[in-house]
Amino acid sequence: MSSDRDEGRFTERISLEDVLGVFDRVKGPVVTSSDVADRLDCSGETARRKLRELAETGRVESRKTAGRVVWWRTDAETATTEIDPDDSFWDADPVSGDDVVEESDVDDLLYGEVDS
């Protein structure tokens, strides 16, 4: 869970800074909400909500590709990598919502060769 009960109120235990820290620990220029959820032991919905909050403040941006949403940092002083718009990653064929995308396929797109 992403929050703890404190005298009848829920207190957030995942901060935006915690989410930004995941960008430093994941190999590659982008992260997914699954990366955030796995590393912070929270639900996928909490990870997506926190990433959207960061996007609203301009600290991250996102793009849907290969049926997944990928996120990258935009704050230059703390970003560890640059996004290359000419990277072959962006040439991957999109999938529909009905297609099954295996985690290994996503890993191949993020870290390996992309078939064009």
Side-chain angles (χ1 to χ4, degrees), residues 3 7 12 21 28 33-35 39 41 44 52 59 65 74 78 80 83 85 87 90 100-101 113 115:
S3 57
E7 297 182 17
E12 292 289 330
S33 60
S34 295
D35 291 325
R39 281 162 180 80
D41 192 29
R52 284 191 302 266
R59 297 181 77 186
T65 184
T74 58
T78 57
T80 57
I83 299 297
D87 190 309
W90 304 115
V100 175
V101 178
E113 295 295 317
D115 296 331

Side-chain angles (χ1 to χ4, degrees), residues 41-100:
D41 192 29
C42 65
S43 70
E45 180 54 37
T46 294
R48 286 185 293 278
R49 184 170 46 84
K50 294 293 185 174
L51 287 163
R52 284 191 302 266
E53 285 180 45
L54 287 166
E56 288 172 7
T57 63
R59 297 181 77 186
V60 300
E61 290 187 31
S62 67
R63 179 175 177 178
K64 186 171 184 176
T65 184
R68 303 278 297 229
V69 177
V70 293
W71 301 83
W72 62 91
R73 293 179 81 154
T74 58
D75 46 341
E77 71 268 10
T78 57
T80 57
T81 57
E82 296 290 324
I83 299 297
D84 179 3
D86 296 323
D87 190 309
S88 61
F89 171 82
W90 304 115
D91 295 332
D93 291 330
V95 296
S96 74
D98 296 330
D99 291 340
V100 175

